[in-house]
Amino acid sequence: MQRVEPPPVYQVILLNDDYTPMEFVVMVLQHFFRHDLETATQIMLKIHHEGRGVCGVFTRDVAATKVELVLAAARRAGHPLQCIMEVA
Ligand code: TYC
């Protein structure tokens, strides 16, 4: 019987910077990644202190769409927030 590999999964990661407001990052984590306020705040603070943090884990297409939506929202709001994806 042929074995089917599970699809590779990707982490969507936010990077810290000195300019994006903390509230904006919390809003992004709530709105695009469906975290509650407390979890979003914890993830934001982790990124702020450690330089980067995982927002969620998705299949490739979903991860790529999340990155695009986050970057579009950040640019629209005039913030330099960076969002990337990596193989989990
Ligand atoms: N370091 C930013 C500040 O002090 C907050 C921040 C957190 C920015 C997480 C980006 O991914 C980020 N306003």
Side-chain angles (χ1 to χ4, degrees):
M1 177 131 143
Q2 192 177 342
R3 284 167 54 81
V4 178
E5 295 295 328
V9 288
Y10 291 77
Q11 294 178 328
V12 174
I13 294 167
L14 279 176
L15 304 180
N16 189 36
D17 66 74
D18 291 339
Y19 303 101
T20 303
M22 291 183 170
E23 302 73 42
F24 185 83
V25 179
V26 170
M27 181 281 290
V28 162
L29 288 162
Q30 291 184 96
H31 183 78
F32 295 108
F33 299 97
R34 316 292 304 230
H35 291 297
D36 63 28
L37 176 60
E38 191 185 332
T39 307
T41 303
Q42 285 173 0
I43 295 171
M44 183 280 295
L45 287 173
K46 179 186 159 71
I47 301 164
H48 179 69
H49 289 120
E50 298 179 12
R52 57 189 272 154
V54 178
C55 308
V57 176
F58 309 96
T59 55
R60 187 185 59 193
D61 288 2
V62 174
T65 301
K66 300 268 184 204
V67 169
E68 279 184 24
L69 291 172
V70 169
L71 292 178
R75 296 305 164 264
R76 189 177 163 78
H79 303 313
L81 184 65
Q82 284 298 332
C83 185
I84 60 173
M85 57 192 275
E86 289 180 356
V87 181

